[in-house]
Amino acid sequence: MEPRVIAAVEDKIGYQFRNKKLLEEALTHSSFTHAVSYQRLEFIGDSILSSMICNHFYLAYPTFDPGQLSLLRAANVSTEKLARVAIHRRLHLYVRHSSPPLVQSVKAFVDAVAQEDPLRPISYGGAVKAPKVLSDIVESVVGAVYVDLNFNIEKLWVTVRAMLEPIVTPEDMEHQPVTKLFELCQKNGKKIDIKPCRNGDKSIANVYVDGEFVASASSDQKYTAKLEAVNIALHKLSHLESLSTSKMVEDNDNFTIEEAKHKLYEACRVKKWPKPVYSIEKDSGPSHDKKFISSVQITTEDDVFQMSGDEKSRVKEAESSAASLMIRALQQMNYL
């Protein structure tokens, strides 16, 4: 590996190696048969990274129980989280390998990460599955620094913590999938149940909403299976999320929801109801100062609902007002 490449990687991770060969090894995939791969460094890096994260949260949150600490550790060392560290530090550009499929999978992930907020930690359930090679090289680089520091864990944490940012905190965990799913179902009057089971060496998590099966996932680790199943469930229940998190505004008794017509249409599509039908109930005033009142009609499996909106100066605004009031009414009646 050329000295300029070594220097570039050292600059990105904020550490100057005494033994440059360690960094070369840390960036060598097993498909690259002309040199020793990163597997041994990944092995020790995986273990020591987990220990450092444990130490950090144990000291930072003295009142947390083992379950809370385990969730924080898992979120900070997950494949998704570490793969994003590799991308943000651009370590993927320096991996030595001989695997064309690896290039394709990494590119797809890089493109997906480019659409995300870099300050928002994502530990599970990104748009594209993270290639394991990316988390491997972060662990192997951590392992290489650890060995180069003569196995000094305190110096290692000081050295690599900045590279691992953003660290997932308890505040971030409040927005993690499990909490988000429970809050979403609670807001919509639905009961959520996550049932674990095993199939041989695999842990399986099944998600049920109001007693109906919604999603399932399996993994070697129980918590990973649970979080993957929850992410699948959140995706399937996204129509509920769009309604429950809609920005609502009340101004002089006029109630509106942003993009109400689109949200109402999507709710009907998911429920397999006919699409909403809009009608102009009132059209008054001179041509330069027209006023409109629109109504919307919804047909469910067992009933027909009609709702009139507030008076507006444009037809689209009048229809949006009717749609907003219809959404609120359906939510209050637990139809949504």
Side-chain angles (χ1 to χ4, degrees):
M1 190 173 282
E2 296 180 10
R4 63 179 182 81
V5 174
I6 294 289
V9 178
E10 288 178 329
D11 181 62
K12 293 182 185 304
I13 65 177
Y15 178 75
Q16 302 293 315
F17 279 84
R18 292 174 294 180
N19 182 355
K20 310 294 184 182
K21 292 294 183 181
L22 284 169
L23 184 55
E24 288 188 17
E25 183 178 330
L27 295 171
T28 303
H29 187 254
S30 57
S31 65
F32 191 82
T33 58
H34 308 296
V36 177
S37 79
Y38 58 57
Q39 291 175 331
R40 278 174 54 84
L41 289 174
E42 179 213 339
F43 170 78
I44 195 170
D46 180 11
S47 178
I48 202 64
L49 179 57
S50 182
S51 294
M52 288 192 302
I53 293 294
C54 284
N55 292 347
H56 169 68
F57 286 117
Y58 179 84
L59 295 171
Y61 301 98
T63 62
F64 276 28
D65 61 39
Q68 292 171 300
L69 294 173
S70 293
L71 286 174
L72 282 169
R73 177 189 61 190
N76 279 282
V77 300
S78 71
T79 298
E80 292 266 1
K81 172 65 171 67
L82 295 182
R84 284 169 172 77
V85 169
I87 297 303
H88 294 153
R89 299 296 170 182
R90 302 184 69 77
L91 298 179
H92 62 292
L93 299 177
Y94 303 98
V95 179
R96 298 192 295 180
H97 67 90
S98 300
S99 174
L102 186 150
V103 176
Q104 297 173 2
S105 62
V106 169
K107 183 182 184 304
F109 184 72
V110 170
D111 292 344
V113 170
Q115 306 302 314
E116 300 171 354
D117 180 354
L119 299 179
R120 175 177 171 264
I122 295 180
S123 300
Y124 309 98
V128 173
K129 184 177 180 180
K132 189 174 181 297
V133 62
L134 295 177
S135 61
D136 287 349
I137 61 174
V138 172
E139 292 169 343
S140 64
V141 167
V142 169
V145 175
Y146 183 51
V147 174
D148 201 57
L149 287 171
N150 199 26
F151 306 96
N152 188 316
I153 190 172
E154 292 182 1
K155 288 184 179 180
L156 176 65
W157 178 243
V158 172
T159 301
V160 302
R161 176 172 178 174
M163 181 182 77
L164 300 172
E165 291 288 352
I167 301 293
V168 180
T169 66
E171 291 72 25
D172 296 320
M173 292 293 287
E174 291 179 1
H175 304 288
Q176 292 294 319
V178 176
T179 303
K180 190 175 181 180
L181 180 60
F182 274 91
E183 289 178 349
L184 176 63
C185 290
Q186 184 180 30
K187 288 178 182 178
N188 288 277
K190 298 183 179 295
K191 181 183 177 182
I192 181 73
D193 193 10
I194 304 174
K195 298 181 179 180
C197 63
R198 292 195 68 84
N199 183 4
D201 295 333
K202 292 289 185 180
S203 290
I204 300 174
N206 298 306
V207 179
Y208 296 84
V209 174
D210 285 346
E212 295 186 5
F213 174 80
V214 173
S216 180
S218 65
S219 175
D220 294 334
Q221 301 294 327
K222 182 178 178 180
Y223 64 81
T224 304
K226 178 179 179 179
L227 289 167
E228 288 182 356
V230 165
N231 274 302
I232 295 171
L234 281 171
H235 179 71
K236 289 186 175 181
L237 299 173
S238 59
H239 64 286
L240 296 179
E241 183 177 13
S242 65
L243 290 174
S244 64
T245 60
S246 299
K247 182 179 179 182
M248 300 182 181
V249 180
E250 294 197 36
D251 180 20
N252 297 327
D253 297 326
N254 288 343
F255 174 86
T256 60
I257 297 176
E258 289 186 353
E259 300 182 355
K261 288 184 64 178
H262 173 72
K263 290 180 169 64
L264 184 59
Y265 173 82
E266 282 297 305
C268 290
R269 182 184 65 80
V270 171
K271 292 282 190 179
K272 295 183 170 54
W273 298 340
K275 66 181 182 179
V277 177
Y278 295 89
S279 301
I280 297 299
E281 299 293 326
K282 182 180 178 182
D283 176 355
S284 61
S287 58
H288 65 278
D289 189 23
K290 282 279 188 180
K291 299 294 182 182
F292 303 93
I293 294 179
S294 175
S295 68
V296 61
Q297 180 176 291
I298 296 293
T299 304
T300 68
E301 298 93 338
D302 49 18
D303 215 335
V304 176
F305 299 101
Q306 183 165 321
M307 180 69 67
S308 294
D310 297 309
E311 189 176 68
K312 299 291 181 180
S313 58
R314 297 176 59 192
V315 172
K316 286 185 177 180
E317 292 176 354
E319 292 177 344
S320 180
S321 174
S324 297
L325 292 168
M326 177 62 80
I327 289 174
R328 183 169 68 175
L330 292 172
Q331 288 176 331
Q332 291 172 344
M333 293 184 292
N334 290 326
Y335 275 84
L336 298 179

